[in-house]
Amino acid sequence: MIDSIRPTPSEIRAYRAANPTLRERDIAAQLGVSEAALVAAECGLTTVRIDSDANRFLARVEELGEVLALTRNESAVHEKIGVYENIKAGKAAALVLGSEIDLRIFPSAWAHGFAVSKTDSNGEIRRSLQFFDKWGNAVHKVHLRPASNLAAYERIVEDFRLPDQSQDFVADSSAPTSDGHDVAVDAAELRERWTKLTDTHQFHGMLRNLKIGRRQALHTVGEDLAWRLDPTGVQAMMRGGAEIELPIMCFVGNRGVIQIHSGPVARIGVMGPWLNVMDPTFHLHLRTDHIAELWAVRKPTTDGHVTSLEALDAKGEMVIQFFGKRKEGLAERPEWRSLVEGLPRLNTTVAA
């Protein structure tokens, strides 16, 4: 039991040693600290503080060769195995458009970086580069694999090493902003702007201009454009898509990164509340019990409307989002549209 308001690095290390089977996020929650605080507590031991500049990282990451890229939020973990390639740096946003690793990166959210070397239960050293926002939430991690270039990793760690190797981590005291706020909405104006969209990428800008959250927009726009589904629809969609080998797009994101899988899914399993995909280059772990609302959403484009499946948590934040895979300039796959439109709607009938 830790008595201090904020545990010291040595207390964090002791707690971790006493609970070796607990996941890091669970340990952080039990200690009341951020995940970054757990990592920082190992500085000088198994961890090195490194520069968190996202574009500097992107300029070097391809040197690592094949790696596992991991992006997560509170409810979903998205992992892709591949090489960082076709990289386009940018101050406001950067892109990785590889054949496997596909990322949208927002550099301003990257605040802390660490190189981590951990010895697993088999005695093997697991190396990774881990990046966090100013509150200590993970935004992106890169895990080395057997085929990775270890010498390149060591050069990057040495080049990115910071003078400050403190084991203390103090999270930013400001409150994170939320996308789930509910405000008064002019339904007619929302519908007018929504129906005039020509590209799905315009959707977030529309919400920002109207100063409304996604959840409020979905509840307001009308059932011809957004309709509520039973939360079991995610599993039903994935199993239905797997049966016909339907290529889908799966988005998981946080403030710093959106990570995308494009292609079919096959190996789907359930363990407790977790819905898991364990395909050769794509792994997904989704807490289905965190899905408070599931929506089917239609957005107009110049190629006809496209249909998305969007899962929100209890705060109205996006947990995970799906589209049918398509190329720009082509209409949505009819198999995808039919699959989503056939998912069970939320039963809102109240017994008399």
Side-chain angles (χ1 to χ4, degrees), residues 71-73 76-78 250-254 257-259 284 319-320:
T71 299
R72 69 165 303 155
N73 53 43
V77 184
H78 191 298
C250 172
F251 295 68
V252 169
N254 52 54
V257 178
I258 297 172
Q259 186 162 305
L284 175 70
V319 171
I320 195 167

Side-chain angles (χ1 to χ4, degrees), residues 219-343:
H219 277 276
T220 305
V221 73
E223 290 196 356
D224 57 327
L225 296 172
W227 61 97
R228 192 103 174 254
L229 298 172
D230 188 288
T232 59
V234 171
Q235 184 178 162
M237 178 277 293
M238 297 187 78
R239 293 194 182 280
E243 288 178 4
I244 60 175
E245 299 182 349
L246 178 67
I248 64 171
M249 298 183 74
C250 172
F251 295 68
V252 169
N254 52 54
R255 290 179 179 85
V257 178
I258 297 172
Q259 186 162 305
I260 306 164
H261 163 75
S262 298
V265 295
R267 296 177 57 190
I268 303 166
V270 176
M271 182 174 291
W274 292 96
L275 175 64
N276 302 299
V277 175
M278 293 300 294
D279 287 344
T281 62
F282 173 51
H283 308 153
L284 175 70
H285 310 287
L286 172 65
R287 282 287 298 261
T288 55
D289 58 328
H290 286 188
I291 298 176
E293 300 180 15
L294 182 66
W295 292 83
V297 184
R298 290 192 181 118
K299 302 182 181 82
T301 76
T302 53
D303 306 315
H305 80 257
V306 298
T307 312
S308 60
L309 193 64
E310 305 186 1
L312 309 181
D313 64 16
K315 298 178 181 178
E317 302 282 356
M318 181 77 80
V319 171
I320 195 167
Q321 183 180 44
F322 301 91
F323 288 87
K325 184 180 178 182
R326 72 180 185 96
K327 290 184 178 180
E328 205 72 30
L330 297 179
E332 181 172 73
R333 293 174 186 263
E335 304 96 326
W336 166 257
R337 185 175 296 180
S338 176
L339 179 61
V340 174
E341 291 179 351
L343 294 174

Side-chain angles (χ1 to χ4, degrees), residues 194-246:
W194 190 307
T195 55
K196 290 182 178 178
L197 295 174
T198 59
D199 188 293
T200 57
H201 298 100
Q202 299 168 351
F203 188 78
H204 183 71
M206 178 193 73
L207 298 181
R208 185 174 60 249
N209 291 337
L210 291 172
K211 299 180 180 179
I212 62 174
R214 182 181 294 264
R215 176 172 59 186
Q216 188 72 351
L218 297 178
H219 277 276
T220 305
V221 73
E223 290 196 356
D224 57 327
L225 296 172
W227 61 97
R228 192 103 174 254
L229 298 172
D230 188 288
T232 59
V234 171
Q235 184 178 162
M237 178 277 293
M238 297 187 78
R239 293 194 182 280
E243 288 178 4
I244 60 175
E245 299 182 349
L246 178 67

